[in-house]
């Protein structure tokens, strides 16, 4: 084989090997950096639910007891929650109305916030009633876990 042909073949082989090696390294790095799904990306960005984090500190039988009351609570409070959100959305959609009625908009937002507050009170009552069923050690651990500040995961800077 002639020397120029051999050098050309070696150069082509080297270029192909660099290309293939770079593709493998790039795929590996992209796999480690990219979230597995858009849902996973959103979950990484939002703060964790303090109540769910606190429930994880309890034994399985206590978590089961919490879940048993969840359906009744959702049936009772779900429509009220949707109503509160609907009132707030409707008030905000009215921002473009002419003439703009500030008093009516504020009254609608006040009604929405009042409904939200009542829902929060209902959840607080449920949490306190549940805590009252726990032994003192579990109740203390549950309270300490609920009192932890909500931490956002660190966002990577590009």
């Amino acid at each position: 084989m002639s020397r120029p042909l051999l050098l050309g073949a070696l150069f082509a082989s080297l270029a192909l090997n660099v290309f293939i090696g770079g593709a493998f390294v790039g795929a590996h790095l992209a796999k480690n950096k990219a979230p597995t799904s858009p849902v996973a990306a959103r979950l990484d960005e939002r703060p964790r639910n303090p109540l769910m984090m606190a429930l994880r500190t309890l034994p399985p039988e206590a978590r089961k007891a919490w879940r048993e009351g969840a359906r009744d609570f959702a049936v009772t409070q779900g429509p009220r929650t949707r109503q509160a959100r609907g009132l707030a959305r409707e008030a905000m959609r009215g921002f473009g109305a002419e003439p703009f009625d500030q008093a009516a908009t504020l009254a609608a937002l006040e009604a929405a916030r009042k409904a939200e507050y009542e829902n929060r009170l209902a959840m607080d009552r449920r949490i306190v009633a549940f805590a009252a069923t726990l032994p003192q050690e579990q109740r203390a651990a549950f309270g300490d876990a609920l009192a932890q500040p909500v931490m956002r995961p660190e966002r990577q800077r590009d």
Side-chain angles (χ1 to χ4, degrees):
M1 191 177 243
S2 70
R3 188 174 185 128
L5 191 58
L6 183 61
L7 285 176
L10 286 173
F11 180 74
S13 175
L14 175 66
L16 184 63
N17 286 333
V18 168
F19 174 77
I20 291 172
F24 280 121
V25 169
H28 179 71
L29 291 175
K31 182 176 77 171
N32 286 340
K33 185 176 182 181
T36 57
S37 70
V39 172
R42 279 183 274 138
L43 290 176
D44 287 343
E45 292 177 2
R46 71 177 185 198
R48 304 291 186 244
N49 182 332
L51 179 59
M52 293 300 117
M53 299 298 282
L55 286 168
R56 289 183 185 144
T57 66
L58 298 175
E61 58 274 1
R63 290 192 301 257
K64 182 180 179 200
W66 173 263
R67 285 191 304 270
E68 287 173 357
R71 179 164 172 71
D72 292 337
F73 186 81
V75 167
T76 305
Q77 294 304 124
R80 293 178 183 171
T81 300
R82 286 188 293 279
Q83 176 192 19
R85 290 176 184 163
L87 285 171
R89 280 193 299 271
E90 197 59 39
M92 291 174 198
R93 284 187 187 119
F95 283 6
E98 260 325 307
F100 180 60
D101 188 352
Q102 285 183 321
T105 302
L106 283 173
L109 287 172
E110 185 177 339
R113 300 307 173 223
K114 182 179 177 186
E116 284 178 358
Y117 178 70
E118 290 169 358
N119 289 336
R120 287 179 180 260
L121 280 178
M123 178 56 84
D124 288 343
R125 285 186 199 102
R126 180 167 184 239
I127 291 169
V128 170
F130 172 73
T133 66
L134 298 172
Q136 191 277 329
E137 308 84 39
Q138 291 178 12
R139 192 172 55 247
F142 184 62
D144 289 343
L146 279 173
Q148 293 298 314
V150 176
M151 303 297 274
R152 286 193 177 270
E154 292 296 321
R155 294 185 183 199
Q156 293 179 351
R157 300 190 190 269
D158 293 327

